[in-house]
Amino acid sequence: QASDNYRRDYLWKRQQYQTWQIPEYWIIDPHREQVTVLTLVSMTYHEKVYTGEAEIVSTTFPGLTMSAKQLFDGKL
C-alpha cells in the first residue's frame, strides 16, 4: 500500500499540477535517491527519473548541471 506521502507527491500533485498547467515539477525522493522531473507537454506530464550520476535535464532551468548523486550528497 502506498504511503500518504507517495500518494500526495506522485498521484495527487501530478493530477492537480497537470490541471493547473504547471510547466514542470520535481519530486525529490531521498529514500529512493532519485529525482523525478515531470514536464508538461501538450497538457500531459512526461516523466523522467534520474539516479546516480545521470545529469538532470530541466526545461525550466536549461543551464542546470547537476546529478541526483550531487543533490543527495549536498555537493552542488
Side-chain angles (χ1 to χ4, degrees):
Q1 178 176 343
S3 71
D4 288 340
N5 287 341
Y6 177 90
R7 282 192 296 274
R8 183 190 66 237
D9 291 341
Y10 288 90
L11 304 174
W12 183 87
K13 283 183 181 179
R14 182 179 186 139
Q15 293 169 344
Q16 293 302 308
Y17 290 5
Q18 186 170 284
T19 299
W20 298 333
Q21 299 181 35
I22 305 299
E24 179 178 287
Y25 83 97
W26 295 23
I27 302 170
I28 299 172
D29 190 332
H31 299 291
R32 296 179 180 170
E33 291 195 4
Q34 71 182 29
V35 177
T36 304
V37 177
L38 293 109
T39 306
L40 194 63
V41 177
S42 300
M43 305 292 291
T44 303
Y45 277 123
H46 291 241
E47 177 180 311
K48 176 72 177 163
V49 177
Y50 298 92
T51 59
E53 297 291 341
E55 188 172 301
I56 298 169
V57 176
S58 168
T59 57
T60 302
F61 305 103
L64 180 74
T65 55
M66 169 180 38
S67 71
K69 184 173 182 349
Q70 287 174 306
L71 178 69
F72 291 113
D73 289 350
K75 297 180 180 177
L76 304 176

